[in-house]
Amino acid sequence: MKTSDFYYDLPKELIAQDPLEDRSSSRLLHLSMKDGSMEHRHFTDILDYLNEGDCLVINDTRVIPARLYGHKEETGALIEILLLKRRENDIWECLVKPGKKARPGAKITFGDGILKGEIIDVVDEGNRLIQFHYDGIFEEILDQLGEMPLPPYITHKLKDKNRYQTVYAKNDGSAAAPTAGLHFTKELLEQVKAKGVKIAHVTLHVGLGTFRPVKVDDVEQHHMHSEFYMVEEDQAKLINDTKKAGGRVISVGTTSCRTLESATGEDGILLAGSGWTEIFIYPGYRFKMIDGLITNFHLPESTLMMLVSALAGKENIMAAYEEAVRQKYRFFSFGDAMLIL
């Protein structure tokens, strides 16, 4: 299986640069898993596809304003850092630009010295470990100094930080939003519940591996970055009970999907707990838990294209993407949605 098998042609103007004023007014392409047929709808029509007794699984991670701009203490050179993973004792694994100037021992100051950092090590793929020093609460300083880490294909400035958060975001830790969830409003979620559909939550802190291109020709040689996930006891029970009762488990986003598939045993039972997952789902994978997926439109040749192809079949997905381009759907993080069910 080649990475190039998952390529499609996307005109640049179809990449959504700004969120819609009303989250739930985006379009929805329904792709049938049974026969590959398609329907063009609006996101609020999602209610027509959900049945009483189904369970919608959302990812309640919260994006932190992880992009910081500082200056090197010795030279005053501008340094941009992106917080990737929290380690112990205020040490973070970070992506640093320009990397050449960021050698161990270098000191960086942010926001007139409210926050200071020292590079203590270079780790995998040139990422840096930075030890931070500050007075007060780190999260509050981050809120004050940090910017939302929008993906590189979004070039417009985000006017409202909250538009890159889901309305149910709770647990701080992501370097990117679980974007399928951006379409839901609180009102729409209430309508989902009123229909007798259960809503369960899991947590997966989205890492930058989500945006990293697949650099190998042979799909199976690609290595995923690890991401932290958590499934609480009561939520595992809710999801397992849904399956037992014959309801469908529908994942909101590829991050919820990867969490569920990572934490489900070969016996089809979801286990509560937390850990790190490097699960890589591509065609040939046998799904253990999910019956359907709400997702956005993904980058060509990305691991997420491979995941949706594993679920719906590669030919169906490629045909659906061709149709979405023809119908001028909006693509990627702030774009339209797709329901695979």
Side-chain angles (χ1 to χ4, degrees):
M1 206 182 318
K2 288 196 162 62
T3 301
S4 56
D5 294 341
F6 300 90
Y7 178 80
Y8 67 94
D9 212 14
L10 180 70
K12 254 203 176 122
E13 64 271 17
L14 295 186
I15 299 172
Q17 291 295 331
D18 303 289
L20 295 174
E21 206 162 306
D22 170 16
R23 288 173 182 265
S24 61
S25 64
S26 51
R27 293 163 77 190
L28 178 72
L29 190 154
H30 169 237
L31 174 64
S32 166
M33 272 166 48
K34 282 190 189 124
D35 59 12
S37 62
M38 289 174 242
E39 290 178 297
H40 300 292
R41 306 288 291 269
H42 287 97
F43 193 77
T44 45
D45 298 330
I46 201 93
L47 293 162
D48 296 344
Y49 297 98
L50 303 175
N51 302 329
E52 187 178 342
D54 287 345
C55 182
L56 214 52
V57 184
I58 59 178
N59 179 7
D60 65 6
T61 188
R62 199 164 184 280
V63 186
I64 56 172
R67 183 168 274 129
L68 288 163
Y69 294 94
H71 292 90
K72 228 174 134 188
E73 278 188 6
E74 297 156 31
T75 62
L78 182 70
I79 300 273
E80 178 191 334
I81 74 159
L82 194 57
L83 303 173
L84 297 178
K85 261 183 215 163
R86 189 197 289 265
R87 304 278 185 98
E88 67 294 327
N89 307 324
D90 288 318
I91 294 170
W92 281 78
E93 184 177 333
C94 305
L95 194 63
V96 181
K97 284 187 204 169
K100 283 178 188 161
K101 293 180 179 170
R103 295 192 181 93
K107 291 180 176 165
I108 308 162
T109 183
F110 307 89
D112 300 326
I114 300 170
L115 180 65
K116 293 189 173 185
E118 183 180 347
I119 295 168
I120 56 173
D121 202 1
V122 180
V123 289
D124 297 348
E125 300 201 359
N127 291 345
R128 269 46 175 184
L129 291 186
I130 299 181
Q131 167 87 65
F132 287 101
H133 304 279
Y134 54 91
D135 290 321
I137 298 164
F138 186 72
E139 284 72 19
E140 287 179 5
I141 292 167
L142 209 52
D143 267 342
Q144 192 182 334
L145 301 178
E147 289 185 9
M148 279 301 190
L150 293 179
Y153 48 73
I154 293 176
T155 55
H156 290 192
K157 195 103 168 140
L158 184 62
K159 293 188 185 101
D160 174 5
K161 271 185 186 179
N162 287 324
R163 290 313 308 274
Y164 196 56
Q165 301 281 18
T166 60
V167 296
Y168 45 76
K170 193 174 71 172
N171 292 316
D172 281 342
S174 269
T179 54
L182 295 177
H183 303 280
F184 282 98
T185 59
K186 286 183 173 164
E187 295 74 23
L188 185 54
L189 287 168
E190 286 307 317
Q191 290 174 290
V192 167
K193 282 184 200 164
K195 200 167 177 186
V197 176
K198 296 183 275 289
I199 297 177
H201 59 83
V202 295
T203 306
L204 181 131
H205 292 323
V206 190
L208 270 206
T210 302
F211 303 117
R212 285 233 164 94
V214 178
K215 289 178 177 163
V216 289
D217 291 335
D218 179 359
V219 166
E220 291 173 43
Q221 299 304 310
H222 177 69
H223 177 67
M224 292 288 279
H225 288 69
S226 63
E227 294 170 310
F228 180 78
Y229 75 88
M230 192 164 54
V231 180
E232 290 164 18
E233 198 78 54
D234 60 336
Q235 302 303 301
K237 184 179 184 317
L238 183 60
I239 295 163
N240 286 326
D241 287 352
T242 299
K243 290 293 260 195
K244 259 186 234 161
R248 299 173 303 175
V249 172
I250 297 154
S251 168
V252 178
T254 55
T255 60
S256 302
C257 165
R258 292 178 65 244
T259 305
L260 292 172
E261 293 299 317
S262 297
T264 299
E266 289 304 322
D267 57 1
I269 304 292
L270 176 64
L271 299 171
S274 63
W276 295 85
T277 179
E278 294 177 355
I279 192 169
F280 180 19
I281 297 174
Y282 54 86
Y285 178 84
R286 190 178 60 81
F287 286 85
K288 297 174 285 188
M289 178 52 74
I290 75 160
D291 301 295
L293 176 70
I294 298 167
T295 187
N296 278 23
F297 291 94
H298 304 295
L299 278 81
E301 300 187 329
S302 64
T303 59
L304 302 181
M305 277 296 285
M306 295 165 194
L307 185 153
V308 293
S309 296
L311 183 64
K314 187 172 106 40
E315 284 72 23
N316 290 340
I317 285 293
M318 298 319 274
Y321 270 61
E322 253 177 61
E323 177 65 9
V325 168
R326 238 192 331 268
Q327 298 286 343
K328 295 194 164 31
Y329 273 69
R330 299 163 77 249
F331 278 66
F332 307 160
S333 299
F334 288 140
D336 293 317
M338 182 185 226
L339 170 65
I340 301 171
L341 192 62

